Amino acid sequence: MSSANQVRASHILIKHQGSRRKASWKDPEGRVINNTTKDSAISQLKAIREDIFSGKTKFDEVASRVSDCSSAKRGGDLGPFGRGQMQKPFEEATYALKVGEISDIVETDSGVHIIMRTG
């Protein structure tokens, strides 16, 4: 696949009771995730998104602290990917963004995300 057909993105994932896998690097037993409602996860992400836009925090810094994805170790960076490699809502949201833009809340089977297109 040529790089022209790929995008690069970072994301912040908050898992919740409805997530397909109820464990993460920071919650290996899933105790917090099992007690987090989808609405609560969305509220957390909305607050994080506001803090990023207001300049209170940087995307990669908050991703490394709070994201339930193992990409947190890289500030949320997922690297380059092409169509068909991510869950459909995530893929569609990422391709719709311009480089540097941050998405609204995106729901997938993994949980809820905010995505920043980086390439």
Side-chain angles (χ1 to χ4, degrees):
M1 178 178 281
S2 74
S3 60
N5 295 326
Q6 291 190 323
V7 293
R8 184 174 188 144
S10 295
H11 76 135
I12 299 168
L13 167 66
I14 306 289
K15 291 186 175 189
H16 54 77
Q17 295 163 338
S19 296
R20 66 177 175 191
R21 189 171 162 268
K22 294 171 186 62
S24 76
W25 67 274
K26 65 179 191 154
D27 186 15
E29 304 296 317
R31 289 190 179 100
V32 173
I33 294 166
N34 276 308
N35 288 309
T36 302
T37 64
K38 183 162 97 173
D39 287 344
S40 171
I42 289 170
S43 293
Q44 286 177 58
L45 271 185
K46 283 182 178 175
I48 289 166
R49 194 172 180 274
E50 286 175 22
D51 286 349
I52 292 166
F53 278 108
S54 71
K56 285 185 190 169
T57 191
K58 289 184 167 53
F59 193 99
D60 59 338
E61 291 171 0
V62 74
S64 63
R65 285 196 321 271
V66 306
S67 182
D68 280 313
C69 180
S70 60
S71 68
K73 297 172 186 68
R74 298 179 303 278
D77 182 21
L78 294 167
F81 59 90
R83 293 202 181 269
Q85 292 184 273
M86 299 289 178
Q87 293 175 57
K88 197 79 174 149
F90 190 96
E91 174 188 302
E92 288 173 355
T94 305
Y95 274 87
L97 295 169
K98 292 182 178 77
V99 174
E101 283 185 332
I102 297 173
S103 71
D104 286 326
I105 308 300
V106 177
E107 294 181 35
T108 69
D109 291 343
S110 298
V112 291
H113 317 249
I114 53 175
I115 305 163
M116 180 172 64
R117 183 164 170 182
T118 56

